[in-house]
Amino acid sequence: MSAPDELAPFGYRQELRRSLGGFSAFAAGFSFVSILTTVFQLFGFGYTFGGPLFFWTWPVVLGGQLLVALVFAELAARYPLAGSVYQWAKQLSRGFLGWLAGWMMLLGCVVALAAAAIALQVVLPSVWDGFQLVGGDPSVTSPTGAANAVLLGTLLLVFTTAVNAGGVRLMARINDVGVAAELLGVLVLITGLGLFAVRGPQVVLHDAPGTSAGIGGVLASALMAAYVLYGFDTAASVAEETKDARRTAPRAVLRAVLVSGIGGLAVVVTALMAAPSLTDGQLAGHGLPYVITAVFGDTLGRIFLADVAVAVVVCTLTIQTGTVRLVYAMARDGALPGSSRLSSVSPRTGTPVAPALLSGALAIALLLLNVGNPTLFSTITGTSVVVVYLAYLLVTGPLLIKRLRGRFPAEPGRFSLGRWGVPLNGAAVLYGIAMIVNIAWPRAEIYDLGGSGSPWMLLFPIEFVGGALVIGWLCWLRLRPAPALEPAI
């Protein structure tokens, strides 16, 4: 079956340009995860809560997300369509639930887009203090640091919006180069930290001297790993632009999870081994930039942090790429307000321009609402995890029900979990539920750093999800007559 014919059974025609190879598909998933961006962004947070023991949240989250990725890889082989999570959920659930997965994933992507953009604040002021444009304390938990994060993030979002509107080839070229630089940077970082280690890997077996994280602290620290290891489905979201997508997309999804998970785990343990001190407050307060400059020296450290800044740019670019494909996929089904405009593909660039502009504007608006808020990082990252994990659960849950009813038989010649489908799918569902409860738990240390005691702050992720459900239901009532919203099977 030729590439254009692959879309015909689903009622679509080939509009996007199918020009991406296997590495570009993998790069889309890997750079969404972007371990240099996200590990640098939240290393200090994880250490603050769990001390060296926060390392153990990594293998737990990696194992759980690998279960989800295996399920997604099977779906990617069957439904090689733009919009991944939305398309899969639509095929598995009728009516509102199928649409809701796409809606929640869309909101999660917008929140993740904003969260990635503000990660520049973690690295750029450490490269050169001139990047602290608003002056004051550059710490992300200070009002001046949070305000500067919004400014830098807004400038970055303007750039990524322009690139995404310019076409998939331009995006892919920047992404491929950025991913290659990030992979090289990860290898250099792991090697360098390992060579300058001042303690052995057994550091992850005990609390730091004089501290006691406790089980509650370790559970809270799981936000770091949970935030890092999602978005790998973007490797499948560009399926309509990928050559031989039925074979390429499943491999790209699994490789993105494994490479990111193993690489991130190695960065965490070697950073703990090389940190000059575990107890002076620097590791919690300044995170990995402190370790980098202490180990590599000021000049080399700044050069490496510049590479991290490149990873942040590419990460933000790719998150927006995935968001654009999701908006396009839903809009061509008439599943969003203003669908006719949002589903339009530019004949010049071969890409949906309106979704790029919309996603960039929404992410910037979300940042501007939080100017000077010291809980900016933890609130946005925690909320993005809850929303995206819920979207994932709206795929893995209905699929498990179909398996138990015997309505999801293996298709010969395509990636399949076979007899392991039910236990692996079931484990993925349980993991998703447990992680949503853990991250949404109303912890003042995450959602109310200012100590206001306001229940509105403590319950922000729950309130966000509740508001999303209400607005989504109202949208659904308006859009429900659209026939393309019904599943193809």
Side-chain angles (χ1 to χ4, degrees), residues 364-410:
I364 290 173
L366 183 58
L367 291 184
L368 294 177
L369 287 174
N370 288 277
V371 173
N373 180 7
T375 63
L376 175 69
F377 276 168
S378 55
T379 298
I380 288 183
T381 53
T383 302
S384 70
V385 169
V386 172
V387 175
V388 172
Y389 272 54
L390 181 58
Y392 285 1
L393 191 60
L394 289 171
V395 174
T396 57
L399 179 56
L400 177 61
I401 294 173
K402 280 190 174 292
R403 291 188 196 274
L404 292 173
R405 293 176 177 174
R407 295 174 56 192
F408 196 78

mmCIF file of all heavy atoms in Angstrom, residues 364-410:
data_model
loop_
_atom_site.group_PDB
_atom_site.id
_atom_site.type_symbol
_atom_site.label_atom_id
_atom_site.label_comp_id
_atom_site.label_asym_id
_atom_site.label_seq_id
_atom_site.Cartn_x
_atom_site.Cartn_y
_atom_site.Cartn_z
ATOM 1 N N ILE A 364 2.253 31.639 25.351
ATOM 2 C CA ILE A 364 2.709 32.952 25.817
ATOM 3 C C ILE A 364 1.708 33.540 26.810
ATOM 4 O O ILE A 364 2.090 34.106 27.848
ATOM 5 C CB ILE A 364 2.920 33.905 24.629
ATOM 6 C CG1 ILE A 364 4.138 33.451 23.803
ATOM 7 C CG2 ILE A 364 3.102 35.342 25.106
ATOM 8 C CD1 ILE A 364 4.321 34.222 22.509
ATOM 9 N N ALA A 365 0.410 33.386 26.522
ATOM 10 C CA ALA A 365 -0.619 33.885 27.441
ATOM 11 C C ALA A 365 -0.522 33.205 28.799
ATOM 12 O O ALA A 365 -0.678 33.850 29.844
ATOM 13 C CB ALA A 365 -2.007 33.671 26.835
ATOM 14 N N LEU A 366 -0.258 31.906 28.798
ATOM 15 C CA LEU A 366 -0.114 31.174 30.055
ATOM 16 C C LEU A 366 1.073 31.699 30.850
ATOM 17 O O LEU A 366 1.000 31.828 32.084
ATOM 18 C CB LEU A 366 0.066 29.687 29.764
ATOM 19 C CG LEU A 366 0.157 28.751 30.977
ATOM 20 C CD1 LEU A 366 -1.091 28.862 31.844
ATOM 21 C CD2 LEU A 366 0.351 27.306 30.514
ATOM 22 N N LEU A 367 2.160 32.021 30.169
ATOM 23 C CA LEU A 367 3.326 32.587 30.853
ATOM 24 C C LEU A 367 3.012 33.974 31.424
ATOM 25 O O LEU A 367 3.372 34.280 32.566
ATOM 26 C CB LEU A 367 4.509 32.693 29.890
ATOM 27 C CG LEU A 367 5.145 31.380 29.422
ATOM 28 C CD1 LEU A 367 6.351 31.679 28.546
ATOM 29 C CD2 LEU A 367 5.554 30.523 30.597
ATOM 30 N N LEU A 368 2.350 34.803 30.658
ATOM 31 C CA LEU A 368 2.066 36.164 31.106
ATOM 32 C C LEU A 368 1.137 36.186 32.317
ATOM 33 O O LEU A 368 1.190 37.105 33.140
ATOM 34 C CB LEU A 368 1.449 36.972 29.958
ATOM 35 C CG LEU A 368 2.378 37.237 28.770
ATOM 36 C CD1 LEU A 368 1.640 37.985 27.662
ATOM 37 C CD2 LEU A 368 3.614 38.016 29.198
ATOM 38 N N LEU A 369 0.319 35.164 32.451
ATOM 39 C CA LEU A 369 -0.553 35.073 33.621
ATOM 40 C C LEU A 369 0.235 34.787 34.892
ATOM 41 O O LEU A 369 -0.282 34.959 35.999
ATOM 42 C CB LEU A 369 -1.597 33.968 33.415
ATOM 43 C CG LEU A 369 -2.720 34.266 32.425
ATOM 44 C CD1 LEU A 369 -3.584 33.026 32.217
ATOM 45 C CD2 LEU A 369 -3.574 35.434 32.915
ATOM 46 N N ASN A 370 1.484 34.337 34.726
ATOM 47 C CA ASN A 370 2.287 33.936 35.873
ATOM 48 C C ASN A 370 3.531 34.798 36.058
ATOM 49 O O ASN A 370 4.497 34.362 36.688
ATOM 50 C CB ASN A 370 2.712 32.466 35.712
ATOM 51 C CG ASN A 370 1.563 31.510 35.903
ATOM 52 O OD1 ASN A 370 1.213 31.149 37.013
ATOM 53 N ND2 ASN A 370 0.949 31.094 34.799
ATOM 54 N N VAL A 371 3.527 36.024 35.542
ATOM 55 C CA VAL A 371 4.693 36.895 35.677
ATOM 56 C C VAL A 371 5.008 37.133 37.154
ATOM 57 O O VAL A 371 4.143 37.530 37.931
ATOM 58 C CB VAL A 371 4.464 38.250 34.974
ATOM 59 C CG1 VAL A 371 5.611 39.198 35.275
ATOM 60 C CG2 VAL A 371 4.353 38.051 33.471
ATOM 61 N N GLY A 372 6.249 36.843 37.543
ATOM 62 C CA GLY A 372 6.672 37.085 38.914
ATOM 63 C C GLY A 372 6.205 36.052 39.924
ATOM 64 O O GLY A 372 6.473 36.190 41.115
ATOM 65 N N ASN A 373 5.525 35.008 39.476
ATOM 66 C CA ASN A 373 5.027 33.978 40.401
ATOM 67 C C ASN A 373 6.154 33.005 40.733
ATOM 68 O O ASN A 373 6.615 32.274 39.857
ATOM 69 C CB ASN A 373 3.859 33.240 39.751
ATOM 70 C CG ASN A 373 3.294 32.148 40.644
ATOM 71 O OD1 ASN A 373 3.688 32.011 41.807
ATOM 72 N ND2 ASN A 373 2.372 31.369 40.096
ATOM 73 N N PRO A 374 6.598 32.911 42.008
ATOM 74 C CA PRO A 374 7.723 32.033 42.347
ATOM 75 C C PRO A 374 7.397 30.550 42.252
ATOM 76 O O PRO A 374 8.289 29.718 42.262
ATOM 77 C CB PRO A 374 8.065 32.437 43.788
ATOM 78 C CG PRO A 374 6.816 33.041 44.327
ATOM 79 C CD PRO A 374 6.156 33.713 43.162
ATOM 80 N N THR A 375 6.102 30.213 42.164
ATOM 81 C CA THR A 375 5.731 28.801 41.992
ATOM 82 C C THR A 375 5.526 28.453 40.522
ATOM 83 O O THR A 375 4.960 27.413 40.199
ATOM 84 C CB THR A 375 4.439 28.474 42.776
ATOM 85 O OG1 THR A 375 3.359 29.259 42.246
ATOM 86 C CG2 THR A 375 4.603 28.778 44.248
ATOM 87 N N LEU A 376 6.008 29.342 39.641
ATOM 88 C CA LEU A 376 5.792 29.174 38.203
ATOM 89 C C LEU A 376 6.218 27.803 37.711
ATOM 90 O O LEU A 376 5.450 27.077 37.072
ATOM 91 C CB LEU A 376 6.575 30.261 37.455
ATOM 92 C CG LEU A 376 6.584 30.201 35.932
ATOM 93 C CD1 LEU A 376 5.209 30.532 35.389
ATOM 94 C CD2 LEU A 376 7.610 31.177 35.374
ATOM 95 N N PHE A 377 7.478 27.405 38.004
ATOM 96 C CA PHE A 377 8.003 26.144 37.489
ATOM 97 C C PHE A 377 7.235 24.947 38.016
ATOM 98 O O PHE A 377 6.747 24.106 37.262
ATOM 99 C CB PHE A 377 9.480 25.993 37.863
ATOM 100 C CG PHE A 377 10.410 26.690 36.911
ATOM 101 C CD1 PHE A 377 11.738 26.857 37.232
ATOM 102 C CD2 PHE A 377 9.966 27.177 35.704
ATOM 103 C CE1 PHE A 377 12.615 27.497 36.363
ATOM 104 C CE2 PHE A 377 10.815 27.821 34.823
ATOM 105 C CZ PHE A 377 12.152 27.987 35.162
ATOM 106 N N SER A 378 7.154 24.824 39.335
ATOM 107 C CA SER A 378 6.570 23.624 39.915
ATOM 108 C C SER A 378 5.081 23.498 39.604
ATOM 109 O O SER A 378 4.581 22.399 39.358
ATOM 110 C CB SER A 378 6.791 23.601 41.430
ATOM 111 O OG SER A 378 6.286 24.777 42.038
ATOM 112 N N THR A 379 4.358 24.616 39.581
ATOM 113 C CA THR A 379 2.929 24.565 39.296
ATOM 114 C C THR A 379 2.665 24.142 37.858
ATOM 115 O O THR A 379 1.842 23.255 37.593
ATOM 116 C CB THR A 379 2.278 25.937 39.565
ATOM 117 O OG1 THR A 379 2.432 26.262 40.949
ATOM 118 C CG2 THR A 379 0.789 25.904 39.235
ATOM 119 N N ILE A 380 3.371 24.758 36.911
ATOM 120 C CA ILE A 380 3.144 24.439 35.503
ATOM 121 C C ILE A 380 3.601 23.022 35.179
ATOM 122 O O ILE A 380 2.903 22.275 34.479
ATOM 123 C CB ILE A 380 3.851 25.468 34.599
ATOM 124 C CG1 ILE A 380 3.112 26.817 34.665
ATOM 125 C CG2 ILE A 380 3.905 24.987 33.154
ATOM 126 C CD1 ILE A 380 3.676 27.882 33.768
ATOM 127 N N THR A 381 4.763 22.615 35.691
ATOM 128 C CA THR A 381 5.243 21.272 35.381
ATOM 129 C C THR A 381 4.351 20.213 36.012
ATOM 130 O O THR A 381 4.027 19.199 35.380
ATOM 131 C CB THR A 381 6.694 21.080 35.857
ATOM 132 O OG1 THR A 381 6.790 21.429 37.251
ATOM 133 C CG2 THR A 381 7.648 21.934 35.074
ATOM 134 N N GLY A 382 3.949 20.416 37.266
ATOM 135 C CA GLY A 382 3.071 19.449 37.915
ATOM 136 C C GLY A 382 1.753 19.311 37.191
ATOM 137 O O GLY A 382 1.241 18.205 36.977
ATOM 138 N N THR A 383 1.173 20.425 36.774
ATOM 139 C CA THR A 383 -0.104 20.393 36.064
ATOM 140 C C THR A 383 0.036 19.715 34.710
ATOM 141 O O THR A 383 -0.842 18.934 34.304
ATOM 142 C CB THR A 383 -0.642 21.822 35.889
ATOM 143 O OG1 THR A 383 -0.782 22.441 37.178
ATOM 144 C CG2 THR A 383 -1.989 21.819 35.190
ATOM 145 N N SER A 384 1.126 19.977 34.005
ATOM 146 C CA SER A 384 1.315 19.351 32.689
ATOM 147 C C SER A 384 1.407 17.833 32.820
ATOM 148 O O SER A 384 0.868 17.098 31.983
ATOM 149 C CB SER A 384 2.565 19.904 32.006
ATOM 150 O OG SER A 384 3.757 19.477 32.652
ATOM 151 N N VAL A 385 2.074 17.346 33.869
ATOM 152 C CA VAL A 385 2.176 15.898 34.072
ATOM 153 C C VAL A 385 0.804 15.295 34.296
ATOM 154 O O VAL A 385 0.434 14.272 33.691
ATOM 155 C CB VAL A 385 3.105 15.591 35.265
ATOM 156 C CG1 VAL A 385 3.006 14.112 35.647
ATOM 157 C CG2 VAL A 385 4.548 15.936 34.926
ATOM 158 N N VAL A 386 0.010 15.908 35.172
ATOM 159 C CA VAL A 386 -1.321 15.372 35.482
ATOM 160 C C VAL A 386 -2.190 15.320 34.228
ATOM 161 O O VAL A 386 -2.848 14.305 33.948
ATOM 162 C CB VAL A 386 -1.997 16.221 36.575
ATOM 163 C CG1 VAL A 386 -3.453 15.803 36.765
ATOM 164 C CG2 VAL A 386 -1.242 16.086 37.896
ATOM 165 N N VAL A 387 -2.184 16.393 33.456
ATOM 166 C CA VAL A 387 -3.055 16.463 32.278
ATOM 167 C C VAL A 387 -2.625 15.469 31.203
ATOM 168 O O VAL A 387 -3.455 14.752 30.628
ATOM 169 C CB VAL A 387 -3.078 17.903 31.722
ATOM 170 C CG1 VAL A 387 -3.871 17.969 30.426
ATOM 171 C CG2 VAL A 387 -3.680 18.855 32.751
ATOM 172 N N VAL A 388 -1.324 15.395 30.921
ATOM 173 C CA VAL A 388 -0.847 14.483 29.874
ATOM 174 C C VAL A 388 -1.020 13.029 30.303
ATOM 175 O O VAL A 388 -1.441 12.177 29.506
ATOM 176 C CB VAL A 388 0.622 14.773 29.520
ATOM 177 C CG1 VAL A 388 1.173 13.707 28.591
ATOM 178 C CG2 VAL A 388 0.749 16.142 28.870
ATOM 179 N N TYR A 389 -0.733 12.719 31.551
ATOM 180 C CA TYR A 389 -0.916 11.341 32.023
ATOM 181 C C TYR A 389 -2.391 10.935 31.963
ATOM 182 O O TYR A 389 -2.717 9.767 31.696
ATOM 183 C CB TYR A 389 -0.379 11.192 33.442
ATOM 184 C CG TYR A 389 1.088 10.842 33.521
ATOM 185 C CD1 TYR A 389 2.045 11.620 32.867
ATOM 186 C CD2 TYR A 389 1.538 9.750 34.247
ATOM 187 C CE1 TYR A 389 3.393 11.311 32.934
ATOM 188 C CE2 TYR A 389 2.889 9.436 34.319
ATOM 189 C CZ TYR A 389 3.805 10.225 33.667
ATOM 190 O OH TYR A 389 5.141 9.918 33.739
ATOM 191 N N LEU A 390 -3.277 11.887 32.211
ATOM 192 C CA LEU A 390 -4.707 11.596 32.083
ATOM 193 C C LEU A 390 -5.069 11.292 30.633
ATOM 194 O O LEU A 390 -5.844 10.362 30.349
ATOM 195 C CB LEU A 390 -5.528 12.774 32.601
ATOM 196 C CG LEU A 390 -7.049 12.616 32.553
ATOM 197 C CD1 LEU A 390 -7.497 11.391 33.348
ATOM 198 C CD2 LEU A 390 -7.738 13.872 33.102
ATOM 199 N N ALA A 391 -4.501 12.059 29.701
ATOM 200 C CA ALA A 391 -4.739 11.791 28.276
ATOM 201 C C ALA A 391 -4.229 10.409 27.895
ATOM 202 O O ALA A 391 -4.888 9.662 27.160
ATOM 203 C CB ALA A 391 -4.064 12.868 27.428
ATOM 204 N N TYR A 392 -3.053 10.038 28.400
ATOM 205 C CA TYR A 392 -2.519 8.706 28.133
ATOM 206 C C TYR A 392 -3.448 7.627 28.683
ATOM 207 O O TYR A 392 -3.670 6.586 28.050
ATOM 208 C CB TYR A 392 -1.137 8.550 28.776
ATOM 209 C CG TYR A 392 -0.004 9.255 28.059
ATOM 210 C CD1 TYR A 392 -0.219 9.998 26.909
ATOM 211 C CD2 TYR A 392 1.298 9.171 28.535
ATOM 212 C CE1 TYR A 392 0.831 10.637 26.252
ATOM 213 C CE2 TYR A 392 2.361 9.805 27.884
ATOM 214 C CZ TYR A 392 2.119 10.535 26.754
ATOM 215 O OH TYR A 392 3.147 11.160 26.102
ATOM 216 N N LEU A 393 -3.994 7.884 29.876
ATOM 217 C CA LEU A 393 -4.882 6.904 30.512
ATOM 218 C C LEU A 393 -6.166 6.714 29.713
ATOM 219 O O LEU A 393 -6.744 5.620 29.697
ATOM 220 C CB LEU A 393 -5.206 7.371 31.933
ATOM 221 C CG LEU A 393 -5.905 6.374 32.866
ATOM 222 C CD1 LEU A 393 -5.051 5.131 33.063
ATOM 223 C CD2 LEU A 393 -6.197 7.033 34.210
ATOM 224 N N LEU A 394 -6.600 7.750 29.017
ATOM 225 C CA LEU A 394 -7.791 7.656 28.183
ATOM 226 C C LEU A 394 -7.536 6.854 26.911
ATOM 227 O O LEU A 394 -8.472 6.574 26.149
ATOM 228 C CB LEU A 394 -8.284 9.060 27.828
ATOM 229 C CG LEU A 394 -8.911 9.840 28.993
ATOM 230 C CD1 LEU A 394 -9.154 11.297 28.594
ATOM 231 C CD2 LEU A 394 -10.217 9.184 29.432
ATOM 232 N N VAL A 395 -6.293 6.481 26.675
ATOM 233 C CA VAL A 395 -5.947 5.562 25.591
ATOM 234 C C VAL A 395 -5.717 4.154 26.134
ATOM 235 O O VAL A 395 -6.309 3.187 25.660
ATOM 236 C CB VAL A 395 -4.683 6.042 24.833
ATOM 237 C CG1 VAL A 395 -4.242 5.003 23.798
ATOM 238 C CG2 VAL A 395 -4.946 7.371 24.158
ATOM 239 N N THR A 396 -4.853 4.037 27.139
ATOM 240 C CA THR A 396 -4.519 2.707 27.661
ATOM 241 C C THR A 396 -5.711 2.042 28.335
ATOM 242 O O THR A 396 -5.862 0.817 28.255
ATOM 243 C CB THR A 396 -3.357 2.808 28.664
ATOM 244 O OG1 THR A 396 -3.707 3.708 29.724
ATOM 245 C CG2 THR A 396 -2.092 3.308 27.980
ATOM 246 N N GLY A 397 -6.576 2.819 29.000
ATOM 247 C CA GLY A 397 -7.741 2.244 29.679
ATOM 248 C C GLY A 397 -8.739 1.614 28.721
ATOM 249 O O GLY A 397 -9.067 0.417 28.845
ATOM 250 N N PRO A 398 -9.261 2.371 27.749
ATOM 251 C CA PRO A 398 -10.190 1.773 26.785
ATOM 252 C C PRO A 398 -9.588 0.612 25.991
ATOM 253 O O PRO A 398 -10.288 -0.352 25.661
ATOM 254 C CB PRO A 398 -10.526 2.950 25.857
ATOM 255 C CG PRO A 398 -10.347 4.153 26.717
ATOM 256 C CD PRO A 398 -9.178 3.833 27.592
ATOM 257 N N LEU A 399 -8.287 0.689 25.688
ATOM 258 C CA LEU A 399 -7.656 -0.415 24.968
ATOM 259 C C LEU A 399 -7.643 -1.682 25.820
ATOM 260 O O LEU A 399 -7.872 -2.788 25.303
ATOM 261 C CB LEU A 399 -6.228 -0.043 24.564
ATOM 262 C CG LEU A 399 -5.435 -1.122 23.827
ATOM 263 C CD1 LEU A 399 -6.171 -1.592 22.573
ATOM 264 C CD2 LEU A 399 -4.046 -0.628 23.463
ATOM 265 N N LEU A 400 -7.392 -1.536 27.113
ATOM 266 C CA LEU A 400 -7.414 -2.703 27.999
ATOM 267 C C LEU A 400 -8.799 -3.344 28.002
ATOM 268 O O LEU A 400 -8.919 -4.581 27.976
ATOM 269 C CB LEU A 400 -7.020 -2.285 29.411
ATOM 270 C CG LEU A 400 -7.057 -3.401 30.467
ATOM 271 C CD1 LEU A 400 -6.092 -4.526 30.104
ATOM 272 C CD2 LEU A 400 -6.741 -2.836 31.844
ATOM 273 N N ILE A 401 -9.840 -2.533 28.026
ATOM 274 C CA ILE A 401 -11.204 -3.070 27.999
ATOM 275 C C ILE A 401 -11.441 -3.850 26.714
ATOM 276 O O ILE A 401 -12.026 -4.948 26.725
ATOM 277 C CB ILE A 401 -12.222 -1.926 28.144
ATOM 278 C CG1 ILE A 401 -12.098 -1.291 29.534
ATOM 279 C CG2 ILE A 401 -13.635 -2.426 27.901
ATOM 280 C CD1 ILE A 401 -12.951 -0.051 29.725
ATOM 281 N N LYS A 402 -10.974 -3.313 25.586
ATOM 282 C CA LYS A 402 -11.130 -4.026 24.318
ATOM 283 C C LYS A 402 -10.379 -5.352 24.331
ATOM 284 O O LYS A 402 -10.861 -6.361 23.813
ATOM 285 C CB LYS A 402 -10.646 -3.149 23.153
ATOM 286 C CG LYS A 402 -11.649 -2.109 22.696
ATOM 287 C CD LYS A 402 -11.212 -1.465 21.401
ATOM 288 C CE LYS A 402 -12.290 -0.534 20.874
ATOM 289 N NZ LYS A 402 -13.488 -1.269 20.438
ATOM 290 N N ARG A 403 -9.190 -5.354 24.900
ATOM 291 C CA ARG A 403 -8.416 -6.602 24.966
ATOM 292 C C ARG A 403 -9.161 -7.641 25.796
ATOM 293 O O ARG A 403 -9.228 -8.824 25.419
ATOM 294 C CB ARG A 403 -7.047 -6.332 25.586
ATOM 295 C CG ARG A 403 -6.081 -5.515 24.746
ATOM 296 C CD ARG A 403 -4.719 -5.511 25.423
ATOM 297 N NE ARG A 403 -3.824 -4.481 24.935
ATOM 298 C CZ ARG A 403 -3.033 -4.608 23.869
ATOM 299 N NH1 ARG A 403 -3.077 -5.722 23.152
ATOM 300 N NH2 ARG A 403 -2.223 -3.625 23.525
ATOM 301 N N LEU A 404 -9.683 -7.215 26.939
ATOM 302 C CA LEU A 404 -10.378 -8.155 27.825
ATOM 303 C C LEU A 404 -11.633 -8.711 27.158
ATOM 304 O O LEU A 404 -12.050 -9.831 27.468
ATOM 305 C CB LEU A 404 -10.737 -7.452 29.133
ATOM 306 C CG LEU A 404 -9.545 -7.066 30.030
ATOM 307 C CD1 LEU A 404 -10.009 -6.230 31.205
ATOM 308 C CD2 LEU A 404 -8.822 -8.320 30.518
ATOM 309 N N ARG A 405 -12.212 -7.962 26.261
ATOM 310 C CA ARG A 405 -13.395 -8.413 25.533
ATOM 311 C C ARG A 405 -13.040 -9.156 24.251
ATOM 312 O O ARG A 405 -13.930 -9.565 23.499
ATOM 313 C CB ARG A 405 -14.284 -7.214 25.197
ATOM 314 C CG ARG A 405 -14.910 -6.561 26.431
ATOM 315 C CD ARG A 405 -15.690 -5.321 26.049
ATOM 316 N NE ARG A 405 -16.354 -4.731 27.212
ATOM 317 C CZ ARG A 405 -17.020 -3.578 27.195
ATOM 318 N NH1 ARG A 405 -17.104 -2.885 26.049
ATOM 319 N NH2 ARG A 405 -17.592 -3.114 28.280
ATOM 320 N N GLY A 406 -11.743 -9.302 23.984
ATOM 321 C CA GLY A 406 -11.307 -10.012 22.789
ATOM 322 C C GLY A 406 -11.549 -9.269 21.504
ATOM 323 O O GLY A 406 -11.655 -9.879 20.427
ATOM 324 N N ARG A 407 -11.572 -7.950 21.573
ATOM 325 C CA ARG A 407 -11.886 -7.128 20.397
ATOM 326 C C ARG A 407 -10.670 -6.376 19.863
ATOM 327 O O ARG A 407 -10.796 -5.383 19.167
ATOM 328 C CB ARG A 407 -12.997 -6.136 20.754
ATOM 329 C CG ARG A 407 -14.320 -6.805 21.096
ATOM 330 C CD ARG A 407 -15.341 -5.792 21.588
ATOM 331 N NE ARG A 407 -15.551 -4.725 20.610
ATOM 332 C CZ ARG A 407 -16.218 -3.594 20.895
ATOM 333 N NH1 ARG A 407 -16.680 -3.399 22.116
ATOM 334 N NH2 ARG A 407 -16.390 -2.691 19.963
ATOM 335 N N PHE A 408 -9.465 -6.873 20.217
ATOM 336 C CA PHE A 408 -8.257 -6.240 19.699
ATOM 337 C C PHE A 408 -7.267 -7.329 19.289
ATOM 338 O O PHE A 408 -6.203 -7.472 19.869
ATOM 339 C CB PHE A 408 -7.643 -5.319 20.762
ATOM 340 C CG PHE A 408 -6.639 -4.339 20.201
ATOM 341 C CD1 PHE A 408 -7.055 -3.198 19.540
ATOM 342 C CD2 PHE A 408 -5.282 -4.558 20.348
ATOM 343 C CE1 PHE A 408 -6.126 -2.295 19.034
ATOM 344 C CE2 PHE A 408 -4.351 -3.667 19.847
ATOM 345 C CZ PHE A 408 -4.776 -2.536 19.188
ATOM 346 N N PRO A 409 -7.613 -8.108 18.272
ATOM 347 C CA PRO A 409 -6.727 -9.192 17.850
ATOM 348 C C PRO A 409 -5.464 -8.665 17.185
ATOM 349 O O PRO A 409 -5.449 -7.565 16.627
ATOM 350 C CB PRO A 409 -7.586 -9.974 16.840
ATOM 351 C CG PRO A 409 -8.535 -8.947 16.284
ATOM 352 C CD PRO A 409 -8.832 -8.022 17.428
ATOM 353 N N ALA A 410 -4.407 -9.456 17.252
ATOM 354 C CA ALA A 410 -3.143 -9.069 16.619
ATOM 355 C C ALA A 410 -3.302 -9.038 15.105
ATOM 356 O O ALA A 410 -4.055 -9.821 14.531
ATOM 357 C CB ALA A 410 -2.044 -10.048 17.012
#
